[in-house]
Amino acid sequence: QAAVRNNLEVQFASVAPAIAQSQVVQAEAAFDWVFSASVERSFLDDQLFTPGDNISRSEREVIATRAGLRRTLTSGGAFSVQQDLTYNRIRQNGTTPAGSQNTPINWSFQYDQPLMRGFGADVTLAQVRLARNAERNQIASLESQMLGLVTEVERTYWQLWQAYYDILILERLRERGQASSERM
C-alpha cells in the first residue's frame, strides 16, 4: 500500500482516467440542449414635408425577441423549438392611433435530418465511443502499472526475506564453525 501510495508514476497515471472520463462527458455534451436568445430594437422616425408647410411625423418602434432551444440528436439530426415575440408601435404626429400597437407571437418547431453525410447513430456517437474506449484504455494502463509495481514490490520483499534468512543461516554456520574451532 505504501509503495502504491508513494509512487510518483502511479500518481501521475491515476490522473489519466479522470481526464479520459472528462473527455467522455465532453463528447456526450454534444447532445445537450442549447439555449439561445436575442433581442433587437429598432426605432424609425420619419418626417414628411407636404405642400403648405405641413409636417407629418411618423415614429415606428419595433422590439423583436427570439428565444429557443436546440438539441443535436443521436440520429445525426437536430431538433429546435423557437419563440419569436415582436412588439410594434406606430405613432402619427405624437399620438398613438388605435390598433397601432401589436405583439404577435410565433412559435416554430424544426427537425433537420441529414440523409447522406453524418447520417445515423454510428456516425454521430463515434466521438462518444472513442472517448469511452480511451477511458477504458487509461484505466487498463493504470491497472497494469499498479500490478507491475505491486509485483515488483512483492518480488523485492521475497528477495529481502530470502536474504534475511540466508544471513541467519550464515550466522548460525559461523557460530557452529567457531564452536567447532574452539573444540578442536
Side-chain angles (χ1 to χ4, degrees):
Q1 286 177 351
V4 170
R5 186 175 52 245
N6 296 324
N7 188 291
L8 290 177
E9 288 180 19
V10 170
Q11 288 178 5
F12 287 128
S14 66
V15 175
I19 292 170
Q21 183 182 20
S22 297
Q23 290 171 340
V24 169
V25 171
Q26 180 184 14
E28 290 173 343
F31 304 103
D32 289 346
W33 285 96
V34 177
F35 175 75
S36 62
S38 66
V39 176
E40 296 177 29
R41 181 174 186 247
S42 63
F43 190 75
L44 181 63
D45 189 2
D46 284 336
Q47 294 182 3
L48 297 171
F49 296 100
T50 58
D53 293 331
N54 291 332
I55 298 174
S56 174
R57 186 171 183 187
S58 173
E59 297 173 356
R60 180 178 178 159
E61 180 180 17
V62 177
I63 300 174
T65 60
R66 175 176 288 159
L69 293 171
R70 182 173 176 86
R71 181 176 186 194
T72 302
L73 304 174
T74 57
S75 66
F79 177 72
S80 62
V81 177
Q82 187 170 302
Q83 177 192 28
D84 296 324
L85 179 95
T86 306
Y87 168 76
N88 292 305
R89 183 181 68 165
I90 299 172
R91 296 183 68 185
Q92 296 279 337
N93 296 322
T95 61
T96 305
S100 66
Q101 289 186 9
N102 60 17
T103 309
I105 297 175
N106 296 318
W107 284 90
S108 64
F109 301 89
Q110 184 173 344
Y111 177 72
D112 299 316
Q113 178 65 52
L115 295 177
M116 298 295 223
R117 192 187 88 194
F119 177 76
D122 292 339
V123 174
T124 309
L125 295 173
Q127 291 301 319
V128 175
R129 287 189 192 104
L130 287 172
R132 284 187 182 145
N133 288 341
E135 179 186 26
R136 287 187 201 112
N137 185 32
Q138 292 297 331
I139 291 170
S141 175
L142 175 62
E143 286 176 356
S144 173
Q145 275 190 310
M146 290 181 74
L147 286 173
L149 175 66
V150 169
T151 301
E152 183 62 32
V153 167
E154 191 173 333
R155 182 181 302 119
T156 304
Y157 170 79
W158 287 115
Q159 286 175 349
L160 179 63
W161 185 85
Q162 177 78 37
Y164 174 73
Y165 280 98
D166 285 350
I167 288 174
L168 289 180
I169 290 170
L170 290 173
E171 183 66 30
R172 275 187 273 152
L173 286 174
R174 187 186 58 82
E175 289 174 2
R176 285 184 190 166
Q178 283 181 344
S180 294
S181 158
E182 288 176 6
R183 270 188 275 152
M184 294 264 210

